[in-house]
Amino acid sequence: MRVAISIVLNGAHHLERQAKEYCLDTYVDKWIIVHGASKNVHCTAWCKEIPDKYHKKGKSVDATNRLLLGLKNSHDNIIVVEKDGMWEGKVEMFNAALEHVTEDCWLWQIDIDEYWEKAQMEGAEKVLENLGADVGAFTCDYLLSDDIIVRGAWGESIQHGYRRLWKYQPGRKFLSHEPPKIEGEKTQCPMHLLPRFKHLSYYDYADVKFKAAWYGNHENIHEGWDDIVKGKTPLPCGIDQLFRTVIPEDWKKTIITYR
């Protein structure tokens, strides 16, 4: 059995891609989508408080509400989880999703802006099974546009990878979201043995603007992004040209270049 968990706020454009272009609902036995805004607490305390213009009593202000209702009503394997008001951090969101996982399964965290092919998911599960591992972490093609990609510790995540797959038994809970960790983990599969997914976290201008308003130390990123994707900043360039502020030491070798 394969279960995917996604969280979403103002992600109508990604929901449409996931359902229509990538058909994620056909890859999994159950897709649990947790909707809403979360407070900047616990492992996401580095974020700022979400500005009021980005939510209405914790719900999206774009077409996400309508799309979720349509998906829920038209797909037996899609579950939408919501609450009144804001979530107490993203760990609460993911653990609310786990309440709907009642069988042993391959559990995937697929952020709404992360895109997979079915064969990649099936292959990753086989690798974990054959190695006796129960956690999978992945690198990715981190795209700022169709032709521009990020290489290095930030974005591509060549140091730690994105923990996105678990061999899961019901009752285990998420301990943290950044990075995602679940109770009872044992062995993580090496990243170089697993496929790369497509990550469009900074691909749409609306997402970049939102992150500039919400994420800590991202205040200038929309200006840096705009200059890069419009060709005003020559490539390759360092990640500092995207952030336009002081960046952590381990990010400084990250390069933005043509794909």
Side-chain angles (χ1 to χ4, degrees):
M1 183 176 186
R2 182 182 301 129
V3 177
I5 298 175
S6 305
I7 64 175
V8 63
L9 176 71
N10 299 322
H13 49 301
H14 291 297
L15 277 172
E16 289 182 326
R17 287 188 193 126
Q18 293 284 12
K20 294 179 181 179
E21 296 179 36
Y22 285 80
C23 305
L24 176 59
D25 56 287
T26 67
Y27 301 172
V28 298
D29 299 289
K30 187 181 292 186
W31 184 13
I32 306 168
I33 306 172
V34 188
H35 175 219
S38 67
K39 297 179 182 178
N40 54 331
V41 295
H42 310 307
C43 57
T44 49
W46 63 275
C47 296
K48 294 170 284 188
E49 185 175 344
I50 295 179
D52 290 343
K53 70 177 182 178
Y54 287 109
H55 72 96
K56 185 177 182 179
K57 296 182 179 179
K59 300 297 189 297
S60 295
V61 293
D62 67 349
T64 295
N65 302 279
R66 173 179 56 80
L67 290 173
L68 286 175
L69 180 61
L71 287 170
K72 182 174 66 173
N73 290 340
S74 60
H75 294 75
D76 292 336
N77 67 330
I78 294 181
I79 297 170
V80 177
V81 181
E82 299 178 304
K83 70 176 293 185
D84 293 331
M86 298 181 70
W87 293 91
E88 293 292 329
K90 292 183 179 179
V91 173
E92 183 187 39
M93 299 178 80
F94 280 98
N95 282 332
L98 289 181
E99 294 178 10
H100 299 271
V101 183
T102 57
E103 300 178 52
D104 290 3
C105 65
W106 289 109
L107 180 70
W108 287 84
Q109 175 186 321
I110 298 183
D111 287 359
I112 204 65
D113 53 21
E114 299 174 357
Y115 295 87
W116 294 80
E117 302 293 344
K118 184 177 182 180
Q120 292 178 310
M121 299 174 74
E122 292 173 340
E125 292 165 1
K126 290 177 182 176
V127 170
L128 262 66
E129 187 68 43
N130 292 340
L131 291 179
D134 64 339
V135 183
F138 304 81
T139 52
C140 67
D141 291 337
Y142 205 84
L143 303 179
L144 303 189
S145 73
D146 289 338
D147 302 317
I148 298 174
I149 195 166
V150 180
R151 300 289 191 191
W154 183 87
E156 186 181 15
S157 195
I158 59 173
Q159 290 179 321
H160 306 292
Y162 294 88
R163 295 163 61 88
R164 292 295 185 262
L165 173 62
W166 294 266
K167 194 171 187 179
Y168 181 77
Q169 299 81 34
R172 297 164 59 196
K173 300 295 185 182
F174 275 90
L175 300 174
S176 65
H177 172 69
E178 297 186 13
K181 291 184 178 180
I182 295 180
E183 295 172 333
E185 295 178 1
K186 297 177 182 177
T187 306
Q188 180 173 308
C189 177
M191 292 180 295
H192 67 276
L193 299 179
L194 295 172
R196 297 167 63 92
F197 63 94
K198 182 186 290 187
H199 203 161
L200 302 185
S201 183
Y202 289 79
Y203 180 88
D204 294 286
Y205 185 67
D207 294 336
V208 178
K209 282 287 287 184
F210 173 60
K211 289 175 172 64
W214 184 31
Y215 286 0
N217 210 37
H218 281 57
E219 290 79 8
N220 303 317
I221 200 167
H222 61 290
E223 297 172 358
W225 179 91
D226 198 54
D227 284 350
I228 289 169
V229 299
K230 289 182 178 178
K232 295 179 181 178
T233 300
L235 299 182
C237 71
I239 198 69
D240 58 307
Q241 295 297 306
L242 176 64
F243 280 85
R244 295 189 175 180
T245 188
V246 178
I247 57 174
E249 189 65 31
D250 61 345
W251 291 6
K252 290 185 177 179
K253 293 183 180 180
T254 299
I255 296 296
I256 300 171
T257 189
Y258 295 108
R259 191 176 183 186

